[in-house]
């Protein structure tokens, strides 16, 4: 078909809007581009030049939104979430990967909501689960949209008891979305 339309035939995986298409996002190495974006945005020289207030602003307004595009389709492996949290933690406290600075507050309290009297950085794991759970909600409420009909046609099993079915042998993001059921 590519030859017929005079297009160049590509290969998988490829990048589209910064997202790897055709890659197995269950592998940690396929998340390296997200980790590199984090590292570049939160470089050590920026931490030394900014006050704590500046670091808080950078983390909450910019960095927390960087992985949103990935998190909305793929369940991030635990190693990736730990790596991203480590980058945020080291940047906030002004240390480096080689030499850590003293942490005045535990990280669990740092990521807790502001209503609890802490910094409110937010949990990347919770953000990932919330974005994947949104697809469940959209699947149940938007009955006539094209993407829902495609997922239904691929994964529907009339003999299944589940309200949202998934065929285990069919690869893709829908399996990750359904796998969040146990976490929620």
């Amino acid at each position: 078909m590519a030859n017929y339309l005079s297009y160049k035939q590509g290969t998988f995986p490829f990048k589209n809007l910064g997202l790897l298409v055709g890659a197995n996002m269950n592998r940690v190495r396929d998340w390296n581009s997200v980790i590199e974006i984090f590292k570049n945005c939160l470089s050590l020289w920026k931490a030394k030049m900014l006050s704590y207030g500046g670091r808080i602003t950078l983390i909450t307004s910019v960095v927390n939104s960087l992985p949103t595009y990935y998190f909305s389709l793929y369940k991030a492996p635990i190693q990736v979430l730990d790596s991203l949290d480590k980058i945020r933690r080291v940047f906030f406290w002004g240390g480096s990967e080689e030499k850590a600075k003293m942490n005045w507050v535990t990280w669990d309290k740092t990521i807790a909501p502001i209503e609890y009297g802490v910094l409110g950085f937010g949990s990347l794991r919770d953000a990932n689960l919330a974005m994947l759970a949104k697809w469940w909600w959209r699947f149940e409420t938007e009955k006539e949209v094209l993407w829902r009909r495609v997922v239904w046609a691929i994964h529907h099993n009339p003999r299944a008891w589940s309200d949202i079915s998934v065929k285990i042998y069919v690869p893709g993001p829908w399996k990750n979305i359904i796998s969040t059921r146990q976490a929620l």
Side-chain angles (χ1 to χ4, degrees):
M1 191 60 137
N3 291 335
Y4 179 73
L5 295 172
S6 300
Y7 286 108
K8 181 181 159 195
Q9 186 173 355
T11 59
F12 285 107
F14 63 91
K15 276 195 174 186
N16 181 29
L17 300 174
L19 187 66
L20 280 174
V21 177
N24 182 356
M25 297 309 283
N26 293 327
R27 291 189 295 208
V28 174
R29 74 172 186 211
D30 290 334
W31 286 83
N32 284 342
S33 60
V34 176
I35 294 171
E36 287 304 314
I37 291 170
F38 252 63
K39 284 182 180 177
N40 292 338
C41 191
L42 297 179
S43 59
L44 182 60
W45 69 268
K46 290 179 184 175
K48 293 186 185 290
M49 301 302 280
L50 293 171
S51 65
Y52 279 111
R55 291 182 219 160
I56 291 169
T57 303
L58 186 61
I59 288 173
T60 56
S61 63
V62 177
V63 175
N64 287 351
S65 63
L66 286 176
T68 301
Y69 189 53
Y70 282 87
F71 284 176
S72 65
L73 286 176
Y74 301 111
K75 186 171 189 245
I78 297 297
Q79 297 93 331
V80 171
L81 294 172
D82 290 344
S83 177
L84 296 177
D85 266 342
K86 181 180 179 185
I87 294 167
R88 290 193 311 167
R89 186 174 53 247
V90 166
F91 175 80
F92 177 68
W93 294 114
S96 65
E97 291 184 18
E98 297 82 31
K99 184 180 177 190
K101 288 232 176 167
M102 182 179 223
N103 300 347
W104 295 98
V105 179
T106 64
W107 190 247
D108 289 339
K109 291 185 178 177
T110 308
I111 63 174
I114 292 175
E115 293 83 29
Y116 294 121
V118 291
L119 299 172
F121 287 160
S123 168
L124 295 177
R125 179 184 178 275
D126 292 347
N128 188 204
L129 290 175
M131 288 179 215
L132 292 174
K134 182 179 177 184
W135 286 107
W136 278 7
W137 175 77
R138 290 185 66 195
F139 187 85
E140 288 298 317
T141 59
E142 300 174 0
K143 301 283 186 187
E144 299 303 319
V145 294
L146 179 62
W147 74 267
R148 190 219 191 260
R149 290 187 290 167
V150 169
V151 169
W152 183 261
I154 293 170
H155 292 283
H156 178 64
N157 181 358
R159 292 181 284 160
W161 288 88
S162 176
D163 54 342
I164 301 176
S165 59
V166 62
K167 292 181 180 171
I168 302 298
Y169 58 86
V170 178
W174 191 247
K175 280 187 1 184
N176 286 330
I177 293 168
I178 296 302
S179 72
T180 60
R181 177 175 286 171
Q182 291 85 15
L184 297 174

